Amino acid sequence: MLNVSLKDQIGSLNLEVSFTVPPSTYVVMLGPSGAGKSHTLKILAGLRKAQQEEIKLQGQDISSLPPEKRNIVYLPQQNTLFPHLNVEENILFAFRARREKVPPNFVREVVDTFRLAPFLKRGVKNLSGGEAQRVALARALCARPKVLLLDEPLASLDFHLKWELLDFLKLLPQRFKLSILHVTHDPWEAAFLAERLLLLEGGKILFEGDFSHFLEKGPGALGQSLKKFFSSEKGAFLRPLWGREHA
């Protein structure tokens, strides 16, 4: 369990949030640009310091720990693969950096999950956008975090690549026994992935719960827009599909 309470000032935005990320759960933080989503992730990862923060992982206060001691991995929006290493070397980087023995069964499971076996010896400069993101996720998993922070991981992908990667992402919490906090401005990503949804607007959490209840309550400007859309003729054709997804 990750328990978070933060207060910070980002320009004119007053960020003040408290929320939990349960074990082995896919949590999506949904909100418009400028709401404080990425800033929150960087504080959790230890890359930025908030004015006030209390971050507890499995009951331990990790607020003062450096990033490498938090058992949290942050995957930023931009490509962070090492260009001078091939796919396999990127994936194994965490073990070699820590001088740990590579666990072959675990690595094989990660490679199989992301279907990377055909690309292991390929240079990362020769990967498509979807392939590169799968490698980045595999490398992050090989650090064996308790919590994986994903900052708009699908934002730069074409539509068909995005939907292919959604299937990979949804498997991760239960298969690898970790929690995911995924931030996005895209409600369709949230609808597909979120076991628990956080709505962040104007630096405040306006909703915490499941997506179907979010649609029913319609909190915040985004919630009202979605509620209006699904009650309109334009949204009528999607309602049966939505109902099956969230039944």
Side-chain angles (χ1 to χ4, degrees), residues 160-178:
H160 68 287
L161 293 175
K162 176 181 291 193
W163 285 99
E164 179 182 294
L165 198 54
L166 284 171
D167 289 329
F168 290 110
L169 290 172
K170 201 162 189 174
L171 294 171
L172 300 184
Q174 294 304 317
R175 181 167 294 185
F176 294 99
K177 307 302 180 190
L178 80 165

